[in-house]
């Protein structure tokens, strides 16, 4: 976490994706309510987490999800090449 001016505030620890691969976390978005949506390309999930990193829900989307975007109204769009 950083301020708008770029000053470091804290580290957000996300739920483990069950692997040691280097590309987690990969693509993410911050929803209007301040929660985080993060792809887990190593296990095919997209997670929804609080602003402190606590897991709200995990959604299996399969393949290798690389990006997630939250549209107005809360719809999640996942970029998944696999």
């Amino acid at each position: 976490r950083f301020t708008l001016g770029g000053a470091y505030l804290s580290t957000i620890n996300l739920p483990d994706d069950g692997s040691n691969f280097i590309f987690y976390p990969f693509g993410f978005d911050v929803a209007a309510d301040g929660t985080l949506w993060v792809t887990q390309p190593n296990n095919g999930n997209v997670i929804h987490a609080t602003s402190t990193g606590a897991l709200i829900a995990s959604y299996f989307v399969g393949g290798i999800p690389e990006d997630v975007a939250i549209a107005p109204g809360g719809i999640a769009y996942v970029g998944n090449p696999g």
Side-chain angles (χ1 to χ4, degrees), residues 15-77:
D16 188 3
D17 76 340
S19 73
N20 293 318
F21 292 109
I22 60 172
F23 50 76
Y24 171 70
F26 198 77
F28 69 92
D29 198 4
V30 179
D33 63 1
T35 59
L36 305 171
W37 289 79
V38 184
T39 61
Q40 292 182 320
N42 296 311
N43 64 17
N45 291 330
V46 172
I47 62 166
H48 186 197
T50 68
S51 61
T52 60
L55 183 65
I56 295 171
S58 180
Y59 304 96
F60 180 72
V61 297
I64 305 169
E66 291 185 348
D67 202 6
V68 62
I70 306 302
I75 297 172
Y77 292 90

Side-chain angles (χ1 to χ4, degrees), residues 1-9:
R1 295 181 2 168
F2 295 86
T3 67
L4 291 176
Y8 172 79
L9 294 173

